[in-house]
Amino acid sequence: MIEFEVVERDGLARLGRFGTPHGVIQTPALLPVIHPDPDRQVVPPTEMRSRWGISAVITSSYIVWRTPSLRAAAERDGIHGLLRFDGPIMTDSGAFQQHAYGSVEVGAEEILAFQNRIRTDIATVLDLFTEPTASHDEAQRSLETTLERASAARSARAELLAVPVQGGLFPDLRATAAASASKWADVLAVGGVVPLFEQYRFRELADALAAARPGLDPGRPVHLFGTGHPMTFAFAALWGIDLFDSSAYHKFARRGALLFPEGTVPIDELREPVCRCALCAEVPLTAVAALPGPERERRIAVHNLATSCEEIARVRQAIREGTLWELAERRACAHPALRAGLNEAKRHASVFLPTEPESRRAFREITSESRHRPAVARFRQRLDVYRQDLPLPERISRIPLRPEFLGRVPTQDRAGRPISWQADTPLGPVPLELTELYPVGPYLGLAEFDEPAARPSPASVSRELAERATFDAELDRDWTDAWTRRQVEGLLRWEYGAVTASALAPGVVGARSRASGRLRDIQEDGRPLFVVGRDGRARPTYFGATRLLPLLTEGRSTVMVDDDAAPFVAAGRSLFCRFVVAVDGQLAPGSSALLVDRSEALLGVGRLLLAPHEIPRFARGVAVWVTSHARRPVPQEEVVPDGPASDSVPDRE
Ligand code: GUN
Ligand code: ZN
């Protein structure tokens, strides 16, 4: 069984790792398709590794099997000997040749046994490639066969096994395929999509991924067959695709096409040296065009691999930064079809919401469609809950969102009745006390620069408020303290619900930053209970957690830790998945949680890396980063619960 571990994530996308007999694969990873005949490899895998750090490759076991000389060599020296590569090798099964040539001559059992014999690191079940033109009946019958073969393959192989997820264009079949494959697969391999890539049918690709994704076990790496164009990597990663494979770098090179994340450029039309990568600096692309056939093809393939690896690195960096949606939107501008695919993804918000992080460092608008990202859908959902909790306000008034207003907005009229203010934000009207929350607070959009708001004087603020206010309030008074109390109460209600917030709020005060006027922390007797981050969220300190815990309703915001791990968590060590006993289902990746032992005593405060439904799916890796703890020393007979892999996990905050 695979031991897959997630170390960082942005939504469904993750940075992960798993071991194979020939080394670790760090995901997301590009597995270039290489020809099994070393004499026909345009770039040998060892060169791929030394040039770009490519750790793993994929090749066709079927081509090896049906070519007597290759078969003999592989049976003798293993697939690693044949390819002259000692890193992880995944082998495909022949389904692609069935797609390309209409049939394969090998049986499912035989090709699996062959993959076992040649000691591949990841074997693939021989699936039936379902074309997008297949009827529901055909797709269903093929799927049944693929799944029977997968079940049999599992019994015939103990080592890593990839199970293709077919189902054609039918959401019900994709869903069944994903859930069934998850029973047997170490690697889940979404297939049958090459024609969708080739024909730029990204909207249908999005629908296929949306149908499959909820059934795919989150504890397994997901492979997408045919993702070779760097333009599509960010899009694929958004869905939690961990492994990309394609022969695109070579296929496009053969017809003189250069791959860029912004699209494809025919080399014969190139008159300017548009790429200055190390290789293109040696021989500019404009000169490559004139080289003799094989050298030209090789140089283009190398350029294509270089841009692909660069783009994988950008995707990985974006996952670390929490900017993958932004990258995907920028890439989607390469082609309207890809943009349509991304729009379709946004229509499937329910697929993304279970892993949608609580906040990110920034929200940068890339296009007018940026405001349909799942982050906004999540915020609106929570806003509905917040509003349900509220007594209907006496008065609602609209206000433009400007910091100058903050100390000037009255919280009640002269008769003492509360006034509720809604700010006009790029995401629509939002209660003024919540406007520092992600995604509203960090929202950086066109309007800010296109129609800049004039900086009003305090007097003009009062005048403007007086015009907007249809009620009688003291507009000249300094309302800063009253507003701070309103905001503190609002933020606590946002996190913990009305009951807990109203129990907590009377004893605390909010402190604002002198420089920015933003709420900085929430204190009791001068000690911070909550620190307000750049995302506007109030996050408990350890002291705050001790106050909060008795007031929480029904396990809200808590994670229960098993006895074996409790002393380590209390000493500040990360909480690993296998020691989580229970977790509040309302938490999300990035949420702050109170970590308690089985007797519900507080051990520490942490931030979730994984979503609640994901945690039980992982045998390895961190579930919660511990950010503050009871400061008990680590127990004497120190054992790091998860072995050396956990040492690679950086400390947080
Ligand atoms: N290569 C490209 N698409 C596919 C697919 O659907 N199945 C398999 N096994 N290999 C592929
Ligand atoms: Zn280049």
Side-chain angles (χ1 to χ4, degrees), residues 535-549:
D535 58 2
R537 308 293 297 240
R539 298 184 184 276
T541 61
Y542 185 77
F543 176 58
T546 62
R547 283 287 187 277
L548 187 57
L549 186 57

Side-chain angles (χ1 to χ4, degrees), residues 107 208 301 458 468 627:
R468 283 169 184 272
T627 51

Side-chain angles (χ1 to χ4, degrees), residues 275-277 279-280 285 303 306-307:
C275 186
R276 305 276 177 146
C277 74
L279 213 88
C280 296
L285 286 173
H303 160 90
T307 52

Side-chain angles (χ1 to χ4, degrees), residues 258-260 274-281 283 285 299-300 302-304 306-307 310:
L258 296 160
L259 300 180
F260 290 98
V274 294
C275 186
R276 305 276 177 146
C277 74
L279 213 88
C280 296
V283 183
L285 286 173
R299 290 233 160 223
I300 298 174
V302 169
H303 160 90
N304 288 348
T307 52
E310 216 175 298

Side-chain angles (χ1 to χ4, degrees), residues 92-93 95-96 127 129 166 191-192 194 225:
D92 199 357
S93 53
F96 183 74
D127 48 329
F129 191 105
Q166 297 284 346
V194 167
F225 281 120

